[in-house]
Amino acid sequence: MTLRARIQTAVSLVYPARCLNCGGLVESDFGLCSACWRDTTFISGLVCDCCGVPLPGEADGQNVHCDECLSSPRDWEQGRAAILYGGQGRRLVLALKHGDRTDLARPASGWMARAARDLLGCRPLLVPVPLHWTRLLRRRYNQSALLAQVLAAREGCECCPDALIRVSKTPMLEGRSRAERMTLLADAIRPNPRMRERLTGKQVLLVDDVMTSGSTLSACARACIDAGADGVSVVVLARVTAA
């Protein structure tokens, strides 16, 4: 056994690997125990090519869209999500977003990379959904920027954490209709004047923690296109679906 292997073995004995969610013992770092894994719904199989929501049926290589994306076309081209926002998935997202669990970004980026494998092949510029400075000051970090940076490092892509800015503070959007969200977000997100050239001519992959109606991502996509991006796709950690 090498010296490094001996050190790793000693460390694992003193600090055994724990489940990211419940803290139970697991075989390797940054993993979920069997119970938490079972209660976390990872998205796979046939999904809407635009918003990533799972669809009934089997994938056959053809791009399909959900009813919502067909009736209300998105401002981006393609979208993917790693998990459903419910149960353990919701708890993981809230821990990352509000619980200072920045350690969750590493495994989450792996789940997102798997979901968005076809979107990462062109080595896009990763751009996170921005927070207003007052919310960033209170929270101390932007969870979407953290996800974007870790995902970019994992996949060898560029990341521009401050490509977009939120110029006006919007109220909490939870519980509001899509129309209300669109109204509140109108002109709230713009390209950062200092980073505008970073977006010009680029394929952009927007990164966020959760997609609900997609209104925030739409505002970001429009800002990227206004700055001259060639195309915009999105990837999120979790997707909210209708009950």
Side-chain angles (χ1 to χ4, degrees), residues 96-178:
L96 171 64
K97 191 170 187 173
H98 299 298
D100 290 335
R101 289 290 309 278
T102 56
D103 59 301
L104 292 172
R106 178 176 170 181
S109 71
W111 305 335
M112 294 168 74
R114 185 165 57 248
R117 181 59 56 203
D118 52 339
L119 306 185
L120 290 161
C122 65
R123 292 294 182 267
L125 175 68
L126 271 60
V127 173
V129 170
L131 287 178
H132 190 263
W133 70 268
T134 56
R135 192 160 291 166
L136 180 60
L137 188 64
R138 184 170 66 252
R139 194 175 293 172
R140 302 188 307 283
Y141 63 93
N142 177 357
Q143 72 282 354
S144 299
L146 187 60
L147 287 170
Q149 289 171 310
V150 179
L151 179 58
R154 175 188 290 272
E155 297 299 311
C157 297
E158 288 185 80
C159 179
C160 190
D162 52 353
L164 302 176
I165 55 175
R166 198 178 286 250
V167 295
S168 59
K169 184 179 180 181
T170 54
M172 296 298 292
L173 300 177
E174 188 174 353
R176 298 179 184 271
S177 68
R178 184 177 182 183

Side-chain angles (χ1 to χ4, degrees), residues 1-232:
M1 183 182 291
T2 65
L3 177 60
R4 181 177 181 182
R6 290 176 180 175
I7 293 174
Q8 288 177 333
T9 300
V11 169
S12 66
L13 290 173
V14 178
Y15 302 104
R18 298 283 181 177
C19 173
L20 290 166
N21 188 59
C22 70
L25 293 175
V26 293
E27 293 184 358
S28 59
D29 291 328
F30 304 107
L32 296 171
C33 68
S34 58
C36 290
W37 182 274
R38 184 178 60 249
D39 292 338
T40 303
T41 305
F42 290 87
I43 297 175
S44 61
L46 185 64
V47 300
C48 173
D49 188 54
C50 200
C51 74
V53 71
L55 297 173
E58 296 184 3
D60 58 3
Q62 300 296 314
N63 292 337
V64 295
H65 296 87
C66 67
D67 291 342
E68 185 176 356
C69 289
L70 287 173
S71 61
S72 302
R74 306 291 184 172
D75 291 284
W76 63 84
E77 297 168 3
Q78 292 179 285
R80 298 290 185 271
I83 62 177
L84 289 184
Y85 186 75
Q88 299 290 7
R90 180 176 181 273
R91 280 186 275 275
L92 288 168
V93 170
L94 293 179
L96 171 64
K97 191 170 187 173
H98 299 298
D100 290 335
R101 289 290 309 278
T102 56
D103 59 301
L104 292 172
R106 178 176 170 181
S109 71
W111 305 335
M112 294 168 74
R114 185 165 57 248
R117 181 59 56 203
D118 52 339
L119 306 185
L120 290 161
C122 65
R123 292 294 182 267
L125 175 68
L126 271 60
V127 173
V129 170
L131 287 178
H132 190 263
W133 70 268
T134 56
R135 192 160 291 166
L136 180 60
L137 188 64
R138 184 170 66 252
R139 194 175 293 172
R140 302 188 307 283
Y141 63 93
N142 177 357
Q143 72 282 354
S144 299
L146 187 60
L147 287 170
Q149 289 171 310
V150 179
L151 179 58
R154 175 188 290 272
E155 297 299 311
C157 297
E158 288 185 80
C159 179
C160 190
D162 52 353
L164 302 176
I165 55 175
R166 198 178 286 250
V167 295
S168 59
K169 184 179 180 181
T170 54
M172 296 298 292
L173 300 177
E174 188 174 353
R176 298 179 184 271
S177 68
R178 184 177 182 183
E180 290 173 325
R181 290 168 181 249
M182 295 292 284
T183 299
L184 289 169
L185 287 164
D187 298 320
I189 298 174
R190 298 177 186 172
N192 185 337
R194 297 184 294 106
M195 298 293 170
R196 195 179 186 94
E197 291 184 359
R198 291 285 304 276
L199 295 167
T200 304
K202 294 292 183 66
Q203 288 289 329
V204 171
L205 182 61
L206 290 171
V207 180
D208 203 4
D209 56 342
V210 180
M211 183 195 303
T212 304
S213 70
S215 302
T216 301
L217 288 162
S218 285
C220 292
R222 290 193 298 270
C224 290
I225 296 299
D226 288 346
D230 273 355
V232 180

